[in-house]
Every structure is written in C-alpha cells, then in structure tokens.
Amino acid sequence: MKRQHVESSNIASIGYDEKSQTLEIEFLNGGVYQYFDVSVNIYNSLMLAASHGQYLAQHIKGYYRYIKV
Amino acid sequence: MHNKSTYLGIIQDVKGTTVSVTLANESLSGLTYVDGEGYRIGQIGSFVKIPIGYVDLFGIVTQVGASAVPENQVATQPYGNRWMTIQLIGEGQRNGKFQRGISQYPTISDEIHLVSESDLQRIYGQSDKPYFVKVGHIAGAESIPALIDINKLITRHSAIVGTTGSGKSTTVASILNALSDREKYPSARILVFDIHGEYAQALKNKANIFKVNADKTEGSIEKDLFIPFWALNFEELCNVSLGAFGNEKDENIVLERILLAKLESIKSYPKDGINVETMNVDSPVAFNLNKLWYELYIECFATYYSRNSGNPIDNLAYERDGSGSELKGNMETAISPIFRKPKNEKEDNEKINYLPGNLNIGQQLLSLGAKLRIPRFNFLFKPGPWTPGPDGKTEEDLGSLIKEWIGSDKPITILDLSGVPIDILNTIIGVLLRIIYEGLFWARNLSQGGKNRPLLILMEEAHNYLNTESSALSIVQKIVKEGRKYGMGAMIVSQRPSEINSTILSQCGTFFALRLANATDRAHITSAVTDNLEGLTSMLPILRTGEAIILGEAVKLPMRTLIEAPPKDKRPDSQDPIIYDEKDLENSLYPGGWGIKMEENPNYDEFVEAWRGQSPFIKRIIKE
C-alpha cells in the first residue's frame, strides 16, 4: 500500500486502500499497522486534521481492530 | 615517577596472578586528572598498568578496600592503608603491541599506574585491519571503538548470554549487521536458527528467509523450508516418523526395507559419489516413504481368504463400501486400507486369517500414517520438488536444496523454525546441523566447502535444544570441538547459560556477557571463561541494558562495551509488549496496551485464522 508522508509527533506516514477499507499507519518507530474496515470519511478526516496524532487517538485507536504487518 | 599523575600505588604482595597493592596517599581524593581528563581511582573492572622495563603489564581491579588487605595484615591495620587487589591479564610492548599472557611477574615495590584513554586507544584501537568489526564503543570512552577479531570470533566459537531484556537480540543484530557487510566481506556465510521468527524483520535486506509453511502471499519474501525425510539418517527418520521400536528385530526389518528401497532407487537413478556397494541405510538417497508405509501396513494388518489358492498377498480380504468396491486405501494420500475381520467357523466355507509373518509394528505404522496425512509435516514428508515418486525419482536433488541454504547470493540465511512441531524440533535442529556439518566436512577442499568458505552458525535460544537431554546435543558438541578445523563456527545465544551443556559452553572462545542476575548462570559463565577474571564477571548483575562485557579470544583485553544498536527498523522483533505506554495517547507510537480501550466486537475469527494457519499473516492484510 502506498503511504503518504505526514508531519506528526508520532505518525510517519499514512496509507489507505479504499476497496478493502484498510488504513495503514506507520509510526515514527518504524512499526506499521493496518486498521480494518475504516471508512473513507474517517481517512479523509484523519488526513485533514490539524493534529494527525490527536485524531488517531480520538477516533481510530480503540474503535477499529488492527494488525501489525 | 611518583609525581606522575597516573601513579596509583605500589605492589606489596604477588601471589600467582593476584597482586595486592597499597594506594598512595597522594591519590586519596579518589579522583585524578590525566591530560585534563578526570579518572576515578579504584573502580572495580578498571584497568591498571605496571611498567617493568620495556614492557607494561596490564591488570584489572577486582577488589578495593578493607577486604583487600592481605590476611596477615588484617590485625595490625584493619583500616590502615587503602588496599586494592588486581588480576594480571597481559602485557604490552612500549610500541603499542598488546598480547595476552605475561612473560615476567611484577615484584614488590613496583609501581601501579592508571590506564588512561590514550593507553586504551593503543590497546584497543586498530580499526585499520579489515578483519576487525566494530560492535559498539568502550563504556566510558566513547572515542574508542569496540573491535572484534572475526577470525577468532568465528573459528573459536562464541556465546552471547544475558537475562531477558538485557539486549541480547540487539547485540546479535548488531554483530550480524557488521558481519554481513557486502563491501567488506563479499563471501560471508551465516546461518541463523531462529526459533521464534524474530530476525526476519531485522535482516530482511541481507537475508534469505526459509520457513515451514511460508507466507506466500504477494510481497512476502519468505520461502518454504523443506527438509526431505530421505536426507535423514535411519535414527533421525525413526525419531520423526515411526517412533521407538519394541524390539530389535522389528527395527532391523524396517531398516532392511528402507535400505532395499534406497537400493532400488539408486539403481534406477544413479548418483555421483555413491553406488550399490558403498551405500548404506543412512545415505541420503530418495525413496518413496508412502509406498513403504503402505506395504508394511498391509503386512502388519491385512487379512486374506485362507482357502483360496495362490499367494496370501494376492487374496487380501478387503472390506467393501456401500457400492461394493474394495476399500484399498490410497498410497499417495496415506489413506489406510481396511480389512475384514478374521473368521474361522465350522459351517462357513469362507475362512479369513491374518497374513503369515510376525511384524509387530502396528502402532509405529499408525503413527507414521497420521504424520503422512497431516499438512504440518509436509515440510518433511512432501518436500516440494524433493518429494520422491513411486520409484524414488525426484524433481530436484539435494544440491539445489543446500545451495539455497548456504550458497545463495545473500550473506545470511534465516531458518525460521517457528512452524516446526515442538515435539520434533530438537530432532529437526539436529538434522539440519548434521547435514550442514557433514556437507562442509566432506566438501572441505572445494571452493564452497568449509575450509575455503567458512560458515557461522547462530543458535538462538540455545538452552532449549542444547541441554543435556537434547538430541541435537551430540552434533553441536561435534561442531564446537571439531568445527574449527573444517570451517564451522558456532555462536550460541541464551538467557539461561546454566542449562546449556557445559562442554559446549567451555568450547566457546569468546563471550558477550550482558546483564545476568541469576547467580547460577553467572557461576556457569565464570567457570567457562578462559580468563581468571572473577572480578569482571561479578559486574554482570549491574550492567546496563545494551552493555556487554566481551571476554576471550576475539578481543585483546576484556572490554566493557556499549553495543551500538542497529537502526530501529533493523532491530529484531523481540521487544517487550507495551502494558501502559509512557507517552500519552496522542503521542503514543503503539496502537495497543492496557491503557487504550479496545474495539467493540473484537474479531476472534481472525484470531483463530492465524492460529490455524500457524502464521501471523491473515488473508485480510492488504499487500502492496
């Protein structure tokens, strides 16, 4: 999955696969995780949020299941 | 010389390699300055030198204070002079060459001097030689690299020991990264036995990864690990397939049958290096195990119509299914045939008897049949292109298998054994080591043999399979005892050195000792190291994470080293899981832990999918 580099205190890059509704997050420590069944709206909001880390903490962590890849 | 700033004191007593010293009064402050840099006096584990004529003797401080006072002096000066005990370790010429062992002893009234950073630089720092690799720097002297002589490191074997979380995996990754430098060592050859699948992530650019039931989805770099059963010797094959025999006669019958199958195969498909006269039951010659199993199964369980004329074997009494066809089973898929029950009644003309013969290995055959059917054992019994046909023909020979393992284009091969059934793991490790040892030994004069392209074998979590009862033990003992001559070096990694067989540990020339709290483990290391340096090993419980004492042949002097960790994405996957992240939720680099609430309706179907598949890669993951 292609990830886009972002400026954040904890996230290095973010990718999204619309067909499978999969969000991919790379943290600054190199860990890459895929969150499953994340709607495109959530992804768009994440990309537009002033703080990606804050949006991730408030709307994604604890709501979607994920796997380390 | 008394006014020299490095002066510490004078020798009062010499006993073997133990030297007692009284500290001079001038150095009472505990701190001294050499070339503008401050040094603490009398630090346990620090070095001192004793200049004698044209050479300097070097020693290490093991004891300071009242208990270092020699016994006969205790009464007269309980707190009097400040005493220090030193262990001698080697000597250095004035021109800078340092060597282990001493040619002469110091004597009373010789002076003891502090070893300054420039002395250390002289002893340790020779980075211009290409056979030294850097694994970090000397603790307390950042400018001095910790260099390791790879000639000694590999041929004389080594051990990396430390408590969980002391930085063992990082040390291994750091050493492997340094050794697999393609520019410096274009023919490096390293084989990693990875029990938990930790190293694939850290070394993926430099390594081929072989795994049982490899993840073969797109984007994965894992390849299938196959260990053809016919490459095993008779004992190993029985261990993983049939199990133990009840008596010697049965064992010999099976042995004869395997030999016969191998003979047939070699007649049809001759191989260089072996012929009908020279081969034995242990020779790696392909034969069809399913066929052998099927034949033995019939001999063991079959019944036949005893009134019929002709051979009993031609009149087998198969059970019939609903449509009337005989249940002959299937050799290929290891489905057992089903036979009718024996019967012998007066009125009934149809008599059914067991086949004559007294083969008593029913239990063993049932166990083998089950293994032939279970997919988890496919890496052994259906090893891809190395699976023999009915007459022993295989698509590929062993050459291509071993080339994949130790002759590929990449310096490191990782054998990820996390998918091997635990009850045969020991045998499998023994088999892999034996095949590689024998190969490198017999091919020692070839360019790809052990003498011309030595192999480093890294054994992770070695206490699991190198303890006294392990079946892999004898081959590892052989490797550590004889491997040096044929180009095989072992690097043994363990958190529990006391559980490793002591012969193996005592053959290790170099030790990377990280933090070790357990006293039994420490005693084991102390007794195994060649240097008489109890003072140094007593520091093991208080080492920092990532700090190691490197002792032995690959280093000139024992070094207290801060291991340089590889970049974050090149570290092994053995980090402790996060319970509660120290960073707050918004800045946390982890998506989980006890501090974050979990998703609603957690999905345990995927949980089971991973378990069933024996692989963390579920199909929901999006690749590329």
Side-chain angles (χ1 to χ4, degrees):
Chain A
M1 194 182 302
K2 250 205 153 59
R3 290 190 303 267
Q4 196 183 332
H5 178 79
V6 294
E7 287 299 326
S8 163
S9 60
N10 60 342
I11 303 171
S13 61
I14 300 174
Y16 187 69
D17 179 65
E18 193 163 351
K19 208 174 120 231
S20 62
Q21 302 222 312
T22 304
L23 175 72
E24 194 167 87
I25 302 278
E26 182 195 6
F27 288 104
L28 286 174
N29 62 1
V32 179
Y33 296 84
Q34 285 189 0
Y35 283 89
F36 294 152
D37 303 335
V38 179
S39 74
V40 68
N41 292 340
I42 295 282
Y43 166 67
N44 287 336
S45 310
L46 173 66
M47 294 310 283
L48 291 172
S51 162
H52 303 299
Q54 191 183 23
Y55 190 88
L56 184 77
Q58 286 175 353
H59 301 282
I60 296 172
K61 282 184 180 176
Y63 293 94
Y64 298 95
R65 68 186 202 281
Y66 58 87
I67 189 165
K68 187 173 196 289
V69 294
Chain B
M1 273 262 267
H2 266 55
N3 52 5
K4 219 183 151 194
S5 57
T6 55
Y7 176 67
L8 289 179
I10 56 170
I11 293 177
Q12 303 288 0
D13 187 48
V14 181
K15 188 187 196 178
T17 56
T18 310
V19 175
S20 292
V21 176
T22 49
L23 290 177
N25 284 336
E26 294 95 284
S27 51
L28 274 178
S29 67
L31 195 67
T32 185
Y33 290 89
V34 181
D35 299 332
E37 290 209 45
Y39 292 91
R40 300 267 305 158
I41 290 168
Q43 288 285 299
I44 300 278
S46 67
F47 291 111
V48 293
K49 67 176 175 190
I50 306 163
I52 301 179
Y54 291 109
V55 296
D56 288 337
L57 298 181
F58 285 88
I60 193 159
V61 179
T62 58
Q63 214 178 29
V64 180
S67 63
V69 178
E71 268 174 42
N72 51 1
Q73 303 266 335
V74 172
T76 53
Q77 40 171 318
Y79 316 105
N81 276 326
R82 291 153 31 113
W83 287 81
M84 189 157 84
T85 309
I86 289 162
Q87 291 286 342
L88 296 172
I89 43 178
E91 66 183 18
Q93 305 285 333
R94 280 287 151 80
N95 63 15
K97 250 183 88 186
F98 176 85
Q99 62 186 32
R100 297 192 142 236
I102 52 172
S103 56
Q104 53 184 323
Y105 277 101
T107 186
I108 44 173
S109 304
D110 280 339
E111 292 180 359
I112 296 277
H113 286 265
L114 193 90
V115 168
S116 66
E117 200 164 323
S118 61
D119 288 323
L120 285 178
Q121 189 86 49
R122 228 179 61 198
I123 298 168
Y124 288 131
Q126 287 178 335
S127 51
D128 53 329
K129 302 260 175 37
Y131 51 87
F132 280 95
V133 295
K134 182 184 170 200
V135 292
H137 59 80
I138 307 289
E142 220 153 295
S143 61
I144 305 176
L147 299 173
I148 294 186
D149 180 345
I150 64 166
N151 285 329
K152 299 274 170 56
L153 177 75
I154 293 169
T155 55
R156 301 293 161 88
H157 316 296
S158 56
I160 301 176
V161 295
T163 317
T164 319
S166 59
K168 266 193 321 292
S169 306
T170 314
T171 307
V172 172
S174 175
I175 294 172
L176 290 186
N177 255 320
L179 292 180
S180 58
D181 182 343
R182 281 262 104 163
E183 301 273 298
K184 227 165 145 188
Y185 312 118
S187 291
R189 192 191 228 183
I190 303 166
L191 190 66
V192 179
F193 284 85
D194 188 0
I195 308 294
H196 299 311
E198 283 175 23
Y199 289 93
Q201 172 68 25
L203 299 166
K204 62 183 170 201
N205 297 332
K206 293 174 165 178
N208 282 314
I209 297 153
F210 291 94
K211 189 179 177 197
V212 173
N213 300 331
D215 168 31
K216 286 204 283 294
T217 45
E218 210 180 319
S220 163
I221 50 165
E222 291 176 4
K223 296 178 194 167
D224 265 316
L225 172 63
F226 291 125
I227 304 166
F229 65 89
W230 48 270
L232 277 57
N233 65 28
F234 179 66
E235 194 192 332
E236 291 159 351
L237 181 60
C238 291
N239 264 341
V240 298
S241 61
L242 292 155
F245 290 99
N247 61 58
E248 219 166 290
K249 196 194 91 219
D250 291 339
E251 186 173 343
N252 283 330
I253 291 173
V254 175
L255 188 145
E256 284 302 324
R257 297 294 288 270
I258 292 177
L259 183 59
L260 207 63
K262 286 189 173 181
L263 276 173
E264 291 301 316
S265 162
I266 201 79
K267 275 184 203 153
S268 319
Y269 304 100
K271 302 262 187 294
D272 284 335
I274 201 161
N275 60 41
V276 176
E277 278 84 44
T278 58
M279 75 163 281
N280 62 49
V281 70
D282 295 332
S283 307
V285 172
F287 70 99
N288 191 303
L289 187 64
N290 284 55
K291 188 172 157 200
L292 183 73
W293 166 81
Y294 189 79
E295 288 168 3
L296 287 172
Y297 191 94
I298 288 179
E299 284 170 44
C300 212
F301 291 104
T303 54
Y304 73 113
Y305 301 108
S306 51
R307 284 280 171 91
N308 291 13
S309 60
N311 261 334
I313 202 89
D314 299 323
N315 293 303
L316 294 178
Y318 291 104
E319 198 71 71
R320 286 168 198 277
D321 66 4
S323 60
S325 51
E326 292 183 320
L327 292 168
K328 286 188 167 176
N330 188 327
M331 188 156 73
E332 286 287 294
T333 53
I335 309 273
S336 328
I338 298 172
F339 297 100
R340 296 184 62 183
K341 298 240 160 8
K343 65 174 179 181
N344 186 12
E345 279 152 33
K346 251 184 192 163
E347 302 82 44
D348 195 344
N349 243 349
E350 191 185 60
K351 307 277 187 203
I352 300 178
N353 262 332
Y354 280 116
L355 277 188
N358 41 11
L359 199 56
N360 198 10
I361 54 168
Q363 203 187 331
Q364 286 84 348
L365 288 173
L366 290 173
S367 149
L368 172 59
K371 284 173 182 157
L372 292 176
R373 289 186 293 269
I374 299 174
R376 281 176 69 188
F377 284 86
N378 280 359
F379 74 100
L380 265 177
F381 299 121
K382 285 201 186 59
W386 294 275
T387 311
D391 56 351
K393 182 184 186 345
T394 54
E395 217 174 289
E396 298 269 354
D397 197 12
L398 284 181
S400 53
L401 184 75
I402 294 179
K403 188 178 173 192
E404 278 195 338
W405 291 349
I406 57 174
S408 77
D409 52 330
K410 293 191 174 163
I412 302 176
T413 302
I414 296 176
L415 301 179
D416 180 338
L417 301 173
S418 55
V420 175
I422 198 78
D423 47 332
I424 60 167
L425 181 63
N426 270 342
T427 311
I428 292 299
I429 290 172
V431 168
L432 288 167
L433 286 169
R434 184 185 60 81
I435 293 174
I436 288 158
Y437 176 83
E438 288 187 356
L440 289 175
F441 170 75
W442 290 110
R444 59 188 181 272
N445 293 339
L446 294 171
S447 60
Q448 287 292 320
K451 281 211 160 198
N452 299 311
R453 198 180 164 201
L455 173 74
L456 172 65
I457 302 172
L458 186 118
M459 287 175 256
E460 253 287 310
E461 305 278 352
H463 49 273
N464 287 338
Y465 49 90
L466 298 185
N467 48 39
T468 30
E469 342 25 304
S470 165
S471 49
L473 185 63
S474 64
I475 184 66
V476 180
Q477 282 188 340
K478 208 167 179 178
I479 289 174
V480 294
K481 283 185 202 154
E482 315 277 340
R484 183 172 64 83
K485 291 176 242 165
Y486 310 113
M488 249 161 296
M491 181 178 275
I492 287 156
V493 186
S494 174
Q495 50 185 303
R496 204 75 177 91
S498 61
E499 283 176 16
I500 295 182
N501 176 274
S502 55
T503 311
I504 291 177
L505 220 49
S506 67
Q507 292 289 322
C508 292
T510 308
F511 281 86
F512 297 76
L514 292 106
R515 186 171 60 243
L516 254 187
N518 184 295
T520 328
D521 287 333
R522 231 163 44 233
H524 223 68
I525 294 300
T526 312
S527 64
V529 295
T530 44
D531 304 271
N532 57 344
L533 297 168
E534 283 174 40
L536 264 185
T537 47
S538 68
M539 286 190 332
L540 291 179
I542 51 158
L543 290 180
R544 290 167 285 175
T545 298
E547 196 175 28
I549 295 177
I550 309 178
L551 309 145
E553 311 210 17
V555 289
K556 302 199 158 183
L557 269 183
M559 307 192 276
R560 188 167 170 177
T561 308
L562 269 171
I563 303 287
E564 196 174 300
K568 279 214 161 123
D569 59 327
K570 296 217 167 89
R571 284 186 204 168
D573 185 13
S574 64
Q575 298 268 312
D576 287 342
I578 298 292
I579 306 297
Y580 199 104
D581 199 357
E582 291 165 16
K583 290 184 178 170
D584 60 28
L585 191 55
E586 282 175 22
N587 295 311
S588 169
L589 298 172
Y590 302 95
W594 284 10
I596 299 178
K597 75 173 176 128
M598 61 170 219
E599 67 271 23
E600 278 175 33
N601 298 323
N603 186 326
Y604 276 78
D605 292 338
E606 283 166 354
F607 181 102
V608 173
E609 179 190 341
W611 173 35
R612 282 215 180 96
Q614 304 269 303
S615 155
F617 301 99
I618 59 170
K619 66 175 195 302
R620 178 67 177 79
I621 294 175
I622 305 299
K623 303 243 175 192
E624 298 312 310

